[in-house]
Amino acid sequence: MREFAFTVVYERGADHLMDVFIEHPELYARTLSCHATTDTMWRLDEVTGSREALEVYDEQLEGIDRCSSVRGMGGCSIDWRYEVLESEPTRRLIYSRQSEGDGCRSIPYLAAKHLADGVLCRAEQRGPEYRWRILAEDEASMSAIYEELEAELRDGLELSFERISRPLESGPGFASGPELSYEQREALELAVAHGYYDTPRGASIQEIAEAEDVPTSTLQYRLTRAEASLAKTLLSDGRPTTAGATIPITSDD
């Protein structure tokens, strides 16, 4: 099994939903579960970010009637339905169902078409990037997926493809990843940016908190919770501690 990555980079103005990620770089989305056939895709997405970013995201999500950043690459009309299963101030859990027409070729659809059964995939969105990672046996079919994706890209989108050098680069977290809240993820990013995990340590928790104008106790609490979640995921031996494992893609062919 090898892991492959498709990354689509969006210019500002190319996609109304992706613009929300560009304008709110703290916004982050990931797939928790994805199932696709050559006709339909079902998926479960978790979106985290600030209250402001998620309010804008909610507004844009309601207006989708064509393939968008999370629905496909062709920009054509689609049959798409969604439901917000959980709504918290800084988190959304969204279920969606999508049927694709001519010209709409999402990455899960193409994986089902070219790779058939036995494929695992996940996706992440942040800033201008929408990145799909696929775990599969058939390396030869990846070029066909890339060629068809590239042919369907509309203006303002740029596609790149890479083979992950080390199999299962993401380790046991490939299926679900750690359960991090927006605040916990932000705390980790601040710690990394300030060199907290460097050797020698670049800054202490107190120094980071002072630089970012965050209460030291709050930053310490969020960082401790984030580290605990990462540790539990790492030691889960591939068995997620919470629901949300990625579902294999299948094909009707």
Side-chain angles (χ1 to χ4, degrees), residues 146-251:
Y146 177 85
E147 291 171 1
E148 191 163 346
L149 271 174
E150 189 175 45
E152 299 294 344
L153 284 180
R154 58 188 186 276
D155 293 340
L157 277 64
E158 180 180 342
L159 175 68
S160 63
F161 169 73
E162 62 181 306
R163 171 179 173 175
I164 306 300
S165 58
R166 185 163 61 91
L168 295 175
E169 182 184 71
S170 54
F174 183 92
S176 60
E179 289 278 340
L180 297 181
S181 69
Y182 158 64
E183 293 84 1
Q184 292 166 8
R185 185 179 299 278
E186 183 181 47
L188 275 176
E189 290 175 347
L190 289 176
V192 171
H194 284 273
Y196 178 72
Y197 295 107
D198 292 350
T199 303
R201 180 162 288 171
S204 66
I205 294 291
Q206 184 176 359
E207 290 171 335
I208 298 172
E210 291 176 355
E212 299 294 336
D213 195 23
V214 178
T216 302
S217 59
T218 299
L219 180 61
Q220 179 68 72
Y221 174 77
R222 292 174 177 174
L223 196 58
T224 299
R225 292 290 300 274
E227 291 171 346
S229 181
L230 290 171
K232 290 177 181 178
T233 299
L234 179 65
L235 297 177
S236 67
D237 193 27
R239 295 182 293 273
T241 58
T242 58
T246 302
I247 298 175
I249 292 177
T250 60
S251 172

Side-chain angles (χ1 to χ4, degrees), residues 43 50 80 143 156 203 227 231:
R43 57 188 291 175
S50 65
W80 180 65
S143 59
E227 291 171 346

